[in-house]
Amino acid sequence: MESYLSVRGEAFARKKPTFLGVLENAWDPLLNPEGIVNLGLAENTLMHTEMKEFMNSEIQVDSHSLTYGDGFSGSRKLKEAICHFLNKNFSPHTALLPSHITVTSGVSNALECSAWALFDQGEHLLVGRPYFNAFRSTFSDRAGVGLLEVEFDKIDPFGLAAIEKHEEALLAARERGVRVKALLLCSPHNPLGRCYPEHVLREYMKFCERHKLHLISDEIYALSVWESPDLPDPVPFKSVLSINAAQIMDPGKIHVVWGLSKDFGATGLRIGCLISQSNQRILEATEGISLLNFPSSLADSLAARLLMNDKFTSYYLNTNRQRLTESYDFVTKFLKYHGIPYRQSNAAFFLWIRLGAATADTTATDDEILAKLQNKRVYIAAGYAYASEESGWFRMVFAHPREFLEEGLKRMLQALAS
Ligand SMILES: Cc1ncc(COP(=O)(O)O)c(C=O)c1O
């Protein structure tokens, strides 16, 4: 059948996300018991009851919420609220000001804005494997930025040796004529659930300075770091903003993204931000296309109320951390009991698990394991989508109530046995 689309329209149509079928048929013990248990999408529902109660009591539809607000880069109130909140929780070396921030429609959008502003078509971004699968579409689909993947073999992706691997990949790429503009770090890391130690962050900054790279730091899971029963001496979260960059690298090349999707379990609000404390121009470039990006004024207003409410946010973050610890403990005990290997973690809300080592059919490929999971109506994301260097790995989200996890894990075991 004739599609009538342009060439790029056709290309976009082919990129329609495959997990949408999962959302349309979500499991519910009463309303849809035959539905799919979604342990694939990075959403945290552990605090939804408290957040709904807070938001329902705070929502106020005033005239401002029905307008374009204060322009297209976030309201003055929200920018002040983000500064208030992050100055407390990220300990920036230089206090954040509203003029350092552009509000965007979620963090994906903030990242895409950095792609438009910093790169020209065909330029590349360095990123270590494995990495959050949507980085590929966020940087490449519209802005045309290529991902230059870094392989680590067996070395620790959070250690100093990993920087040498970045350097090797960068030099080899430049030798081939590939233009590399920036390094992307994700700390806490998706999908590995760990933070970069401060001394490693400092070395990455020196690396950026040596090679004239921008540093884009995705800190969307910053406050979802919890006590892990597996790691008695964990690496805590350290924001790049808290490091005195002036002594290490050009501060005009440091850009941080954060938002409400993960730390406040609110992917639906679509509130994110791009922070650049010494580069007004990147924020202006983002504002230049902000008509196409900015979030609803109603969500903007609600977010501002949330971030100004110290009592609720500190209660929320602490309780969220406790629940994440409990959920991690529950799921990892289950994994150990059933002999399913996993990587220990203390941040974010997914586990990197090796289903390939626990299937009854030891020759099953990752696609075959995915098909088995699908067959039992449980969705767990395959590691190859995250550019995993080894086969057999999957990413499983554990930030859901016990009943949900029990159903998902039961189905996962059935799939592995089939
Ligand atoms: C590391 C990382 N960055 C960005 C995003 C996108 O977040 P948002 O929903 O705010 O666009 C996600 C979502 O999973 C993520 O894991």
Side-chain angles (χ1 to χ4, degrees), residues 188-225:
H189 192 273
N190 177 2
L192 299 178
R194 296 261 194 125
C195 304
Y196 288 88
E198 179 175 350
H199 71 280
V200 175
L201 289 175
R202 286 177 179 275
E203 289 304 317
Y204 271 114
M205 291 165 100
K206 288 185 197 160
F207 164 73
C208 286
E209 181 64 17
R210 267 198 309 283
H211 297 289
K212 307 266 171 285
L213 296 173
H214 288 263
L215 170 60
I216 303 171
S217 181
D218 183 338
E219 303 186 355
I220 194 171
Y221 295 98
L223 306 171
S224 303
V225 178

Side-chain angles (χ1 to χ4, degrees), residues 42 105-109 111 132-135 186 188-190 218 220-221 257 259-262 266-267 270-272 350 395:
S105 178
V107 168
S108 319
N109 187 232
L111 289 169
F132 170 46
N133 53 351
F135 284 152
C186 182
H189 192 273
N190 177 2
D218 183 338
I220 194 171
Y221 295 98
V257 294
L260 300 191
S261 296
K262 310 296 169 173
T267 50
R270 309 310 302 141
I271 296 284
F350 23 74
R395 195 195 72 169

